[in-house]
Amino acid sequence: MRKKIVVISEWKNKEDFQQLKSNVEKNISIADTFYYICSINSSVKIDELPKITNVYYLSKKDFTLFGKLKTPSLRELLIDKSEGVLVVAMEKRSPLLGKVLRNSKLRSVGMEKDTLPDFELSFIDSQLLDGKLFQQINKYLTKIQL
């Protein structure tokens, strides 16, 4: 079984994404494959965003009227092949994050904050900027031998 980490975050710009990707891949050593889901707001057009391997852009158009995930590539990543971990690299709640968490069959991991929903595994005193969250995740995943 291949170990997969799916990281969901908000898309700001390519530089911020590269920083996040570097932080994740430097601090989480137990994964074989990394996938990234970048939440975008409705004013951004997906066609204008850079094409990056293993990066999926998420918008409200990826969901049905009833909140079910309809994009085949995202369904396969989050539902059909349900081994792995969903790492939430966000510091505040968003409607798309809630829909992803409701649809996903992956274990959800993130920071414990009032501005975020509850995850299956939450880490307190963590921040995205210093990579502490990803170090804690790696330590935990190593211990449970995911």
Side-chain angles (χ1 to χ4, degrees):
M1 177 174 81
R2 294 197 48 137
K3 297 171 181 141
K4 117 180 138 174
I5 302 288
V6 179
V7 179
I8 184 168
S9 67
E10 289 183 84
W11 178 265
K12 295 175 186 158
N13 56 48
K14 190 172 182 176
E15 293 78 28
D16 282 350
F17 172 75
Q18 292 298 343
Q19 171 103 23
L20 172 73
K21 184 178 185 212
S22 163
N23 249 343
V24 169
E25 294 179 8
K26 179 176 68 173
N27 291 305
I28 300 179
S29 61
I30 193 150
D32 295 328
T33 312
F34 293 95
Y35 298 94
Y36 298 90
I37 299 174
C38 296
S39 171
I40 59 170
N41 61 32
S42 56
S43 64
V44 177
K45 293 183 180 178
I46 292 177
D47 297 342
E48 297 172 357
L49 296 171
K51 306 283 187 252
I52 305 171
T53 306
N54 290 344
V55 174
Y56 302 90
Y57 297 105
L58 180 73
S59 70
K60 63 183 180 181
K61 294 177 183 175
D62 292 306
F63 296 93
T64 65
L65 181 63
F66 301 107
K68 298 288 184 192
L69 199 53
K70 67 180 183 181
T71 306
S73 57
L74 291 172
R75 285 188 59 82
E76 180 179 348
L77 191 62
L78 297 168
I79 299 170
D80 298 339
K81 295 181 180 175
S82 60
E83 69 280 345
V85 176
L86 176 65
V87 175
V88 179
M90 295 178 153
E91 294 186 345
K92 62 182 180 174
R93 183 183 306 260
S94 79
L96 293 178
L97 174 61
K99 288 180 180 181
V100 167
L101 290 174
R102 281 191 295 278
N103 282 282
S104 176
K105 293 193 177 175
L106 302 175
R107 291 182 191 101
S108 61
V109 180
M111 293 182 283
E112 185 172 318
K113 286 190 166 199
D114 293 337
T115 57
L116 288 169
D118 293 331
F119 304 111
E120 293 177 74
L121 177 64
S122 297
F123 293 98
I124 56 174
D125 298 329
S126 294
Q127 293 180 359
L128 292 176
L129 294 177
D130 61 4
K132 186 175 178 183
L133 172 68
F134 307 122
Q135 292 168 359
Q136 290 175 320
I137 291 170
N138 187 59
K139 187 176 179 181
Y140 178 79
L141 294 178
T142 304
K143 285 189 179 190
I144 65 167
Q145 297 179 354
L146 174 73

